[in-house]
Amino acid sequence: MKTHFYHNILFIILALSGIDSFAQGSLMLAGGAGETSGGWSDAPYRWVVEHAANKRIAIITYDAAATDWIPNYFKGFGAKAAKNIIIASRSTADQQWVYDTLITYDGVFIKGGDQSKYYEYYKGTKTQQALQYVYDKGGVLSGTSAGTAIL
C-alpha cells in the first residue's frame, strides 16, 4: 500500500513538472500522513529543495505551536534556509511584511491542517499574491494534506 502511495506521489510530481510550458513554476502536491525521516516523504521533500533555485523554503502554517521539525527536515535535504511563517489570521495574511517575506523564498510549503482556515485566511490577500509571485518567478509551491488542497 505505501509503495503504491509513493509511486502516485512521484507520478504527480513528474506529471506536474512536465507542464511548465504553460506555467512558470513547479508544484509538489502530496497526500496526508505524517512526514518521517527515511520514509515516504523523503523523495518529494528532497524534490522541492532540488527545484528551489536558491534553496530557500518558507513553511506556511496557521498553527502558532509549529515546531522546527519541518524546517530542519528541509535543511536535511540541502535547504540553505527553511523557516516557519505563521499566518494565523486574515489580517496577518494581508500585511505587507508577509508578502515581502514570502517573496524572498523560492520554495513555499503549506503544511497540513484545516484547509478551510487556509481558504478563509489567505484568499484574496497579500499571502495569495506572494504565492502567485513565487510561482510566476519559477519557484516551487508545495504542500501536504490541507496544503495540497488549498493549492
Side-chain angles (χ1 to χ4, degrees):
M1 181 70 167
K2 286 187 178 185
T3 301
H4 179 69
F5 178 72
Y6 168 76
H7 289 298
N8 286 341
I9 290 172
L10 187 57
F11 175 77
I12 290 169
I13 291 169
L14 295 174
L16 291 174
S17 68
I19 62 170
D20 60 13
S21 60
F22 298 105
Q24 299 296 315
S26 299
L27 297 172
M28 187 287 289
L29 308 172
E35 297 87 354
T36 57
S37 185
W40 74 268
S41 53
D42 286 1
Y45 287 54
R46 180 181 297 112
W47 185 93
V48 170
V49 174
E50 290 170 354
H51 287 81
N54 295 315
K55 312 292 186 236
R56 292 177 45 81
I57 312 296
I59 297 95
I60 294 180
T61 182
Y62 58 79
D63 183 4
T67 70
D68 286 333
W69 196 92
I70 296 290
N72 290 335
Y73 189 55
F74 276 112
K75 288 176 184 174
F77 297 121
K80 293 179 183 173
K83 180 180 179 183
N84 287 320
I85 310 291
I86 299 169
I87 307 170
S89 70
R90 184 168 181 79
S91 62
T92 301
D94 207 29
Q95 292 183 10
Q96 188 65 42
W97 73 264
V98 171
Y99 178 89
D100 294 342
T101 299
L102 289 175
I103 66 169
T104 68
Y105 291 87
D106 51 349
V108 178
F109 176 80
I110 303 175
K111 289 182 70 172
D114 182 346
Q115 64 254 26
S116 70
K117 288 184 179 183
Y118 286 128
Y119 182 83
E120 290 173 29
Y121 295 171
Y122 302 169
K123 183 173 175 37
T125 66
K126 292 186 187 302
T127 295
Q128 182 179 358
Q129 293 170 9
L131 293 172
Q132 188 67 53
Y133 178 88
V134 169
Y135 184 77
D136 289 345
K137 292 296 182 181
V140 179
L141 299 183
S142 59
T144 187
S145 192
T148 291
I150 201 64
L151 286 172

